[in-house]
Every structure is written in C-alpha cells, then in structure tokens.
Amino acid sequence: MTGSGLQLSAEYRRDSSWVATSRPRLSWVFTEAPPGWCQAAAELRLNDGRTEQINGSLNVFVGWPFEDLVARETYQVQVRLQGADGIWTDWSDPLDIQLGTLAQGEWQARFSGLAAPRQEAQPFIIRHRFLLDRKPARATLYWSALGAVKARIDGVDVDDSVLAPGWTSYADRVLHETTDVTALLQPGWCTIGLEVTGGWYTEVYGFADEARRVYGEQPYAAAQLHLLFDDGSEEIIASGVDWETTADGEVVASGIYEGDTIDHRRSLRWWDPQEGDWEAAAVAPDQPVPVSRMNEPVRRVNTLAPVKVSSSAAGTILDFGQNLVGRLRIEVQGAAGTRIEIRHAEVLEDGELATRPLRRAAATDTFILSGTGTEVLEPVGTFHGFRYAEISGHPGEVDPERVRAIVLQSDLRRTGWLETSNPLLNQLHENIVWSMRGNFLSLPTDCPQRDERLGWTGDAQIFAPTAATLFNCNGFLANWLVDLRAEQDRAGGVVPNIVPNVFGFAWAAAAWGDAATVIPTVLAERFADNDLLSKSLDSMQAWVSSELAAAGGPGLWETTLQFGDWLDPDAPADMAGAAKTQPGLVATAYLYRSLDLFSKAAVHLGEDESAAWARASAEDVRAAFAAAYLTSDGRLVSDAPTAYALALQFSLIQDLQTREALAMRLAHVTKRDAYHISTGFIGTPLVLDALTDFGYDSHAAALLLQTRCPSWLYPVSMGATTVWERWDSMLPDGSINPGEMTSFNHYALGAVADWLYRRLAGIAPAAPGYSQIHFAPTVLPGLDHATATVDTPAGRTQGGWRREQGVIHWKLRVPAHATAAVRLPGIELEVGPGVHEWTTTEPPRTAAASVHMWSPVSEVVDNPDAFATVMKVLASHDGHLAEMVRRRTDWTLSTPLQIALFSVPPHVLNQIAKELDA
C-alpha cells in the first residue's frame, strides 16, 4: 500500500494480505524521501488505535509488536516514520493483514477423491451443496490437493491461482490456499466444487525404464469453509465422505509431461444439481494436515500473440517470438467431435517442431469440440515450455488473432532492470529474465519443457544471486528451503541433488548440496532475512558435516561421485561431466566455501562454538587445497579457468602475490582460448569477477562480448530468447546438439547477470538488504554505457556510467534507507540518500596493432576484427577446421599466426593473408 510515499508490506506475500504466521514481520520503504533523509524511528498503528514506536533505522522484517493474529480476523496496520530532524511523515495507507493458517487441530477436511477411478491419475470433480439461510458476515475457504486444483463456488473461481497448491515434498508438507469468499455466497442453495487433476502428485518421474509414479496413483482434494455470522455463530463445512465426486467432467486425462485431453462434449455445469452422475467420495488412505502458503502462487502473468504463422506437415505452426512457459488459449468454432491437437516445442528443425529434446514428454494438448458455438480451449492441469506451437485438426484456417500464449509463473515482483550500449548484451539480460520466469514455477526447476522439470539444487544455488536481483524471490526460495531441509533430514544430513527428491536416493555432491549453505546466505545478504538464516543454521551444519564425512575429514574431497564443472563446453556431448577441471578440485573448493559460509552465519547468530569448529575445519581444507593443487610456479594442476576462478573467488589462496600469479594465469588461459567461454556450470558465475578483481578488464570485456561459440552472446546471435542448457544447444549450422540433455531454457549459465549488476553497473550490496551499497562500476572497453535499476529492501537504487569523448560520467541514486560506499577512479567517499553524480577522465587506450600473418597469435586474438576474419575464412572452407583452431589450448601466444596455423591448407592461408591485408 502507498500513502505519503510509504510502501508497507507484511512477510513474503506480494499483493495479498494473507500471511502464514501469527506474528508477521513488517517492512516499509519511504519512496519520496528528500535528499539526505534518514530514519530515526518508526511508529506502527493498528486499526483499534494502538501504537508501538520502534527506534532506529530498521525498515526490513521488523518484528510484529502487537498480540498474535487470530484466524479469520482482519487487521489494518499503518506506519509513519520520523527523520533525523525529528519530523514525522504522514501515516501510510492501511495494509490489511489476515492470518492464512488454521490453529492447531482446526483442520477437519478429509482429502477425498474417486471411489472407483477408471484410470491412473484420473481427473475428477468433487462438490458439496449446502443451504444458507442468511448471508454470512465472513466466509473463508481453505483448500488443498494432492494434485492440482481449481476451486469454484457456483461455477465462479475463488481466486486467480493456477495449478494450486503447487509442488512440495508431499511426504513432509502439503500447502493449502486461503481465500475470502464472502462475496460469492448469498442466502439459498450454494455449491462448492473442486476440479482436480494429478499435477505433480501423480506424475511419472525418472529416466527411461526407471520412470514411475512416486507419490500416488490418484489425486485427492480437500476443502474447509468457515462461515461466520453477525450473531457470532460459526459453521464449518469440510470435505469428506458426505461430498460427491464424478469423473464425468470435460478433463479426460491430464499430466504435467503428457499434456491435457479435454472433451468439451463432456462439459459439466456441476453446480447445477440436475447435471452429472455423482457418487460418494472416498477418503485418501493417508491424511496430511496442510500448512498455509507463505509465498505467491502460480498465476497467469502475461499474454503473447503469435508473430509468425507457417505450415507444417501436420498443420499450422505459430511462432510467438519468445520461448516461454505456459499454454495456449484458442477461440474456435467447429462441429461437435472435431479433434484439435496442439504440440509444443522450443525450436524448429527443418521447418518442423524439434521434439527430440523433449525426450518422453509428449507436451501435447488435445481438445474435442462440443459444436456449441465459440469455444475457448485452454488446458488446466499442465504447462509447457515452448516458442512454437503446432495446431492440427483445426476447422478451417487458424486465425492468429484468436490464439494467445498464456505465460505462467510463480507471481514474483520484478526488481531488476539493466541497459547497456550493446543490444546483444541487453538481449542476453532479457533472455536470463525469461529463463528465470519460466523456471521459477512453484519451485526452482532446471528446465520447463522436457520430462524433467526438477528442483536441481546445483542450478538453484548457482543462480540464486541473479534470481535475488531480478525478482523478489525471497519467499519463493524460503518456501523451497523448507522442503530442502525436510528432504535433508530424511537423507541423514545429506542434501539430495533434487528437491523434492523424487529419485529417492541422495549422496553428497559438491555445488549441488551446497544450496543448503549458499541460498540462505544469499537471501540474508540481499533481503536481510535473518530469521531464514537462523532457521537454516542446523541444515547448514548438517550439510558441512556430511561433506566432511564424504571427504574423510577436513582435507581434500576426492572420494565420491561428483558432477564437477558440469557442461564444460569442451566436454563431449554424451559426457556432460567430463570437464577440464578436476572434480576433486571443485569438490574441495566447495567444501571450503560451505564451511566458510556456515562459520560466518554461526558468528552472525552468536553460535561461537560452532563457528570456531567450522573455521578450523575450513583452514585445514584450505591448506590441503594449496598443497595438492597449487604448483610451485603459481599455477593450478587443472590449468583451466574454472580452477583459477574457484581458487580466487572462494579465497582458497590468500597470499596476495600468489593470487596475482593465479589471476595472471587465468587471464592467459582466457586469452589462449581466444576469449571463448571455457567454463561449465561451476566456473561461469565466477570467471568475470576473478578477472576484474585483478584489473583484467579488457579480458573480461572480450570474454563477455564474444559472439562466436561458445560464448554468452552466441545463443543471442542465433536468435535465442532464453538461456540454453549447453553453450551450443544449437550448432552454428542450425542443427540441434546431439546430446540427450539439450534444453533451450535453462537458467544456470545466466548467472552472469549478477556480475552485470554488481560489477558492470556497480550496484552491489555491502550490508544486508542493501542498507549499504557498494558502488564501483567497471568501465569495459567495447561498451559506451551501462545502467542498472534495482528495487532493494532499502528502496529503489539506480547506478551506472556513460562514456563520452574521453570522460566517464557516473551517476548513483541512493534510496532512503541506505548509504553508499563510492569507489571510482580517484574518488573514495561515503554518501547518503539522494542522486549523486561525478565525472572522471578516462585514460587513453592504446590502439590495436595492425595484424598480418607473421603477427604473434596474441595480437591476433586481441584484435576482434582480425580474429573474426581468420575464423570466418576457416569456417567458409571447413567448419571442423575452424572448430579445431578455436579449441587449440596448446598455442604459444608469441608464435606467429603463420606457424600456429601450420596444419591449414596453403590456399586457405593465402586467403586469410589477403583478408587481413584488406
């Protein structure tokens, strides 16, 4: 809510006032504070007139100062702030807060379903008719499912959620939704109904022959309606055997991977007592007690129109211009029995849908028309990852104006925006945003399109800093961490590679299990969520203990199966873990990092004994790392960018002279690889920081702005609109990578966006919740400007730089609840709230030397136009030859180009020479 420039919120919810705790924390931002203003105190006021004053500058997750909330009561709270000058602001607009959870023992509803389902994962409808003799003063509906459910009263949706209540570790936790339905109830006969599909609960998980239903064969649903009347009396209506069920609705079959089959001839107005064949409900054998949702549900967040229509062998292909996650909505007229099939894919191959990357996911929705006029087709129990949709069986020509792609996402608030002078870099950023949007759906998934869509812990921890910048994902990840801790407890302290753990087994895998230490740390840093850090401390300790046990003590971790630097671009298509960096080096680095993070969290939370143990163990690991992997000449035994980035960014090597030597070697191997990306999942988020920390800005620029494969911008140059799983998911000739894992929407490699905000534009948190901002942008050659805007818990900040005729203009907006440490060339100072500007003179740059065939390889590589010319000529004669040259890691950079290309045919060398001379 806003009033007098004050934005007030409670807990994690974005727009809804429902909270999952009786003591909700409050946060506020003063958006219209004058320059230099700072908060000295805050006063909170309830609608009954009671007030509480809180002295100091705290504005994020402030503890609830009043008595506990009571279910089915509405509270209104306001805030006003006092500045250091003693002047109070006006009161904010009131924020309605309601407790979304039930008291212990209040849940009465039984999870119920079909007594005699006709098939596995049978969709069904469950309803209950009741007579209201008067209008309730308040009606609250609590509803849940082992599956996915849409709740309606007399045919009207009770809310706008999709696939509710979402996917959790069902053995440990099932969510329920809470909705005020007072406006939907009038005196007379009323019917409450739940339309249920299997969703994630009945999905078949696993690969190839091992795939199976993990949770249950059939879905179930539960609902509980609380009616409060003006005289204080209350009535509860709860699902159970006295409710009615039917499988005769229009949803014939539904699966997350398979898609929906919907027959409009079976459309059922189930709130009409005269329609349908009904039988008594059967209750589920196991009855969980659901808990209230703490974060936003999945919603329809956007709608896209087709941008191109083409024909295929089977029908009409629509191109929506954007790889997205969601489903199609079509308006159509046709004869009864007309069967329309919709298939989905992320890319085309030879003009047809490329479905091989989907593996066993059919990703197909089928509709049968009723012939009753204009019909709206949209699936209800599934979602797809696609840019292209093929419609077959459509009566007549497909009218693109009557087709829309509905974008689905957990409804997170966007918080990060970036703009630079490079259009490809801007598109990369938007691709990263879209990949997060598509994969933050109920839980953080690895991909949204194939027969996987699992909560891989490694992907989530790698991407967490970027996620926390692009969207307010604090509640989303906090919700997922509840399941992570539950799955970890079941595995004896080991964090499974996926959460929820549908594989059923777990082993300690570095960088994947480290989600237990990394993500709580990130959320504490970016959102000042101290309570979450406290709740995660035992999980952090259990994980580092599991790591130490797997390693055999505080030393090298080289004894267990590891993913390593997953999807190193030099790994074979069918061996994703065959990276240049030793997996033991990666595992040992992460062992140190998690011990370090746990030690710092324990210190912060006052657990000094645990902190001391972790610190001592970390130092032993660091010593072992240096002894085993650091050579006498300042190199690492894995002479690869990921190894150097890990050693530098995790502070495994602390001697400054040695660190400088490692950074110099990192710069060398980056240049040796001709500024092509040479890192997988592990090294990619770290390599640019490791370069720019030591002043290798030109190397970082060449790496970041590279457009040849593999690079961040290569997919953009190939028309990508999301981040790919592999650097070369699509090969330069337009064919699809032959590897089995080839997703075109996979956010891990998009973790570079965190660097773009922190280092390129210079907006970095220096204290929890951005209460202090570190502003030290990196002016990269090849760019003329870069600006970032971030809605932080301290307020909106904006910063960046612009190059104009040898002068750098710097600008920073500091929000009301923050200060900033500014570190610019020749300028070091602290500033408070307001807009600040500076100018500095840019040192002149040395012009690139002219290049010819006898120039050293180093000069050719450093000249983007010259190197592009060499690669263009090689590729025009032999693509394999060009790839071989690109992958040369044995180049002596001082060797003349003529000699370095000794294996190239003479006529090709002659053409290269002519092109360079030109």
Side-chain angles (χ1 to χ4, degrees):
M1 307 291 287
T2 61
S4 303
L6 289 173
Q7 296 178 345
L8 179 62
S9 60
E11 280 298 324
Y12 296 127
R13 296 300 292 264
R14 174 181 177 179
D15 298 317
S16 169
S17 61
W18 296 105
V19 295
T21 173
S22 61
R23 301 196 61 78
R25 298 168 296 172
L26 300 173
S27 303
W28 52 81
V29 171
F30 190 13
T31 62
E32 298 177 9
W37 183 92
C38 62
Q39 176 184 313
E43 188 173 24
L44 296 167
R45 180 171 72 182
L46 275 183
N47 49 301
D48 63 5
R50 283 177 294 158
T51 62
E52 290 286 346
Q53 182 167 319
I54 299 160
N55 294 323
S57 61
L58 185 64
N59 73 302
V60 179
F61 291 137
V62 177
W64 182 252
F66 306 106
E67 81 280 356
D68 290 2
L69 303 185
V70 176
R72 296 174 297 284
E73 293 286 343
T74 298
Y75 301 78
Q76 285 190 330
V77 63
Q78 294 172 280
V79 67
R80 66 172 183 165
L81 307 180
Q82 184 185 49
D85 56 6
I87 299 174
W88 287 91
T89 68
D90 291 336
W91 288 100
S92 70
D93 289 343
L95 173 70
D96 288 343
I97 299 179
Q98 301 172 77
L99 180 61
T101 190
L102 290 158
Q104 187 171 3
E106 269 197 311
W107 183 264
Q108 300 177 17
R110 306 283 286 171
F111 280 85
S112 306
L114 294 168
R118 303 166 187 166
Q119 62 194 39
E120 291 184 347
Q122 173 73 65
F124 72 96
I125 301 168
I126 181 170
R127 75 175 186 183
H128 182 71
R129 298 186 73 238
F130 57 97
L131 182 62
L132 272 179
D133 59 1
R134 50 188 165 153
K135 171 76 175 177
R138 183 185 181 98
T140 307
L141 179 66
Y142 306 89
W143 46 288
S144 181
L146 300 172
V149 62
K150 171 56 68 177
R152 292 188 168 99
I153 291 179
D154 292 329
V156 179
D157 293 355
V158 302
D159 72 354
D160 59 355
S161 65
V162 178
L163 297 169
W167 189 9
T168 53
S169 295
Y170 292 114
D172 304 291
R173 191 172 66 115
V174 178
L175 300 182
H176 71 70
E177 309 290 349
T178 308
T179 310
D180 188 324
V181 295
T182 309
L184 299 181
L185 295 175
Q186 300 297 329
W189 283 101
C190 302
T191 306
I192 179 173
L194 307 174
E195 300 173 1
V196 189
T197 58
W200 293 280
Y201 184 75
T202 60
E203 189 50 70
V204 176
Y205 298 104
F207 305 115
D209 296 335
E210 298 177 356
R212 63 188 179 90
R213 297 192 196 276
V214 172
Y215 298 115
E217 300 290 335
Q218 297 295 335
Y220 296 90
Q224 185 164 315
L225 179 63
H226 284 247
L227 302 171
L228 180 66
F229 298 96
D230 288 329
D231 61 5
S233 62
E234 188 173 16
E235 181 181 351
I236 298 175
I237 299 171
S239 58
V241 294
D242 58 331
W243 286 39
E244 298 177 304
T245 62
T246 184
D248 290 341
E250 64 182 20
V251 183
V252 177
S254 178
I256 296 291
Y257 300 159
E258 287 295 307
D260 281 3
T261 298
I262 297 177
D263 188 344
H264 281 195
R265 297 171 302 180
R266 294 161 46 108
S267 180
L268 187 65
R269 289 172 51 87
W270 48 257
W271 52 95
D272 184 337
Q274 307 302 317
E275 291 198 21
D277 294 323
W278 301 84
E279 61 183 10
V283 299
D286 297 314
Q287 289 289 322
V289 176
V291 297
S292 179
R293 167 183 299 283
M294 67 169 68
N295 62 312
E296 296 300 322
V298 176
R299 292 190 175 103
R300 299 171 177 86
V301 298
N302 202 353
T303 301
L304 298 183
V307 298
K308 184 179 179 181
V309 181
S310 60
S311 298
S312 68
T316 300
I317 293 179
L318 301 177
D319 176 4
F320 290 90
Q322 172 65 55
N323 197 20
L324 61 97
V325 175
R327 53 218 197 181
L328 252 59
R329 184 175 65 213
I330 306 175
E331 294 181 0
V332 63
Q333 291 182 333
T338 300
R339 187 181 185 91
I340 298 175
E341 187 172 271
I342 305 170
R343 298 195 304 147
H344 305 79
E346 297 182 296
V347 295
L348 299 180
E349 196 167 28
D350 298 325
E352 299 287 341
L353 295 187
T355 57
R356 177 178 61 82
L358 302 180
R359 301 193 302 218
R360 65 177 177 84
T364 300
D365 295 323
T366 302
F367 298 90
I368 302 171
L369 301 186
S370 64
T372 55
T374 300
E375 301 178 50
V376 178
L377 314 182
E378 181 181 344
V380 296
T382 190
F383 62 92
H384 310 290
F386 67 100
R387 172 175 172 169
Y388 301 92
E390 179 189 73
I391 303 174
S392 58
H394 191 281
E397 186 175 337
V398 175
D399 181 359
E401 292 301 313
R402 302 179 69 138
V403 182
R404 291 293 182 267
I406 308 300
V407 181
L408 301 180
Q409 177 196 2
S410 287
D411 193 12
L412 309 180
R413 178 171 58 87
R414 177 84 179 267
T415 54
W417 298 265
L418 180 84
E419 193 269 331
T420 77
S421 59
N422 187 308
L424 294 180
L425 193 58
N426 295 340
Q427 184 62 51
L428 170 66
H429 176 265
E430 288 309 298
N431 291 2
I432 296 167
V433 171
W434 274 96
S435 277
M436 178 176 172
R437 183 174 283 139
N439 281 292
F440 272 49
L441 193 155
S442 191
L443 54 86
T445 56
D446 61 323
C447 61
Q449 72 297 101
R450 67 183 180 220
D451 60 339
E452 198 165 350
R453 315 184 198 187
L454 303 176
W456 285 95
T457 49
D459 302 53
Q461 74 88 3
I462 287 164
F463 193 72
T466 293
T469 302
L470 297 178
F471 288 87
N472 186 336
C473 60
N474 192 24
F476 178 91
L477 289 175
N479 175 71
W480 182 65
L481 286 173
V482 176
D483 290 322
L484 184 146
R485 295 193 293 267
E487 297 282 12
Q488 181 186 13
D489 287 346
R490 187 178 297 105
V494 173
V495 176
N497 299 325
I498 56 171
V499 173
N501 185 14
V502 294
F503 289 168
F505 56 84
W507 79 91
W512 272 250
D514 294 283
T517 56
V518 172
I519 295 178
T521 301
V522 169
L523 299 182
E525 174 192 72
R526 304 299 174 95
F527 299 104
D529 198 344
N530 206 51
D531 284 2
L532 175 63
L533 190 66
S534 179
K535 291 175 182 176
S536 299
L537 194 66
D538 288 346
S539 166
M540 298 171 81
Q541 183 163 10
W543 168 243
V544 296
S545 297
S546 296
E547 288 182 296
L548 289 170
L556 301 180
W557 187 7
E558 299 183 325
T559 54
T560 55
L561 176 66
Q562 299 291 344
F563 294 104
D565 193 22
W566 190 251
L567 286 172
D568 180 315
D570 293 317
D574 58 347
M575 298 178 64
K580 296 182 291 294
T581 305
Q582 293 180 15
L585 187 154
V586 173
T588 304
Y590 262 95
L591 172 58
Y592 171 79
R593 188 191 189 201
S594 277
L595 284 164
D596 181 52
L597 294 179
F598 170 64
S599 173
K600 292 174 179 175
V603 167
H604 180 69
L605 296 171
E607 298 290 339
D608 295 337
E609 185 175 342
S610 295
W613 165 80
R615 185 76 266 150
S617 298
E619 293 306 319
D620 289 343
V621 173
R622 178 156 53 190
F625 181 96
Y629 302 126
L630 182 65
T631 69
S632 59
D633 59 352
R635 298 188 186 186
L636 294 174
V637 293
S638 290
D639 192 35
T642 290
Y644 293 107
L646 283 168
L648 292 169
Q649 291 308 111
F650 290 179
S651 296
L652 283 149
I653 305 299
Q654 294 193 326
D655 174 71
L656 180 58
Q657 186 174 356
T658 306
R659 286 173 61 80
E660 289 175 342
L662 293 176
M664 182 181 297
R665 186 61 187 173
L666 171 61
H668 176 84
V669 298
T670 301
K671 186 173 182 176
R672 179 194 67 192
D673 294 339
Y675 303 116
H676 292 87
I677 198 76
S678 194
T679 51
F681 276 25
I682 303 303
T684 294
L686 308 174
V687 65
L688 292 180
D689 272 300
L691 288 169
T692 51
D693 277 352
F694 291 87
Y696 294 103
D697 295 356
S698 62
H699 291 68
L703 189 64
L704 176 65
L705 301 178
Q706 174 70 263
T707 57
R708 293 178 299 275
C709 182
S711 67
W712 280 292
L713 297 186
Y714 163 72
V716 179
S717 72
M718 293 291 287
T721 60
T722 44
V723 179
W724 295 351
E725 180 176 17
R726 296 175 180 269
W727 296 107
D728 58 350
S729 285
M730 180 176 286
L731 304 180
D733 64 4
S735 63
I736 296 174
N737 189 297
E740 181 179 328
M741 297 180 305
T742 306
S743 158
F744 292 89
N745 194 348
H746 224 91
Y747 55 58
L749 299 178
V752 66
D754 183 53
W755 183 91
L756 297 177
Y757 281 85
R758 287 187 297 102
R759 302 301 299 274
L760 180 63
I763 302 298
Y770 291 83
S771 57
Q772 185 180 48
I773 296 163
H774 181 73
F775 183 64
T778 302
V779 178
L780 286 189
L783 294 177
D784 293 327
H785 65 84
T787 301
T789 301
V790 184
D791 282 344
T792 76
R796 173 166 287 190
T797 184
Q798 186 176 66
W801 55 272
R802 179 179 296 275
R803 176 190 287 119
E804 290 180 351
Q805 299 179 341
V807 174
I808 306 297
H809 301 272
W810 316 83
K811 187 174 183 179
L812 174 66
R813 175 185 176 185
V814 181
H817 304 278
T819 60
V822 178
R823 303 293 182 263
L824 304 175
I827 299 174
E828 289 194 14
L829 72 163
E830 309 291 315
V831 297
V835 177
H836 309 275
E837 299 186 56
W838 306 268
T839 59
T840 62
T841 302
E842 184 180 22
R845 294 189 179 276
T846 303
S850 59
V851 173
H852 49 77
M853 291 301 293
W854 291 99
S855 296
V857 168
S858 60
E859 291 184 8
V860 179
V861 169
D862 278 339
N863 188 315
D865 292 336
F867 191 77
T869 296
V870 172
M871 297 303 291
K872 180 187 71 175
V873 174
L874 290 172
S876 68
H877 286 274
D878 186 340
H880 295 293
L881 179 63
E883 180 65 8
M884 180 192 72
V885 170
R886 184 196 67 75
R887 290 180 179 268
R888 285 285 296 276
T889 58
D890 59 344
W891 275 355
T892 300
L893 294 177
S894 60
T895 300
L897 179 64
Q898 179 84 33
I899 296 175
L901 298 179
F902 69 92
S903 61
V904 174
H907 71 284
V908 179
L909 291 178
N910 290 336
Q911 185 174 349
I912 292 174
K914 290 179 181 178
E915 294 277 354
L916 290 177
D917 288 342

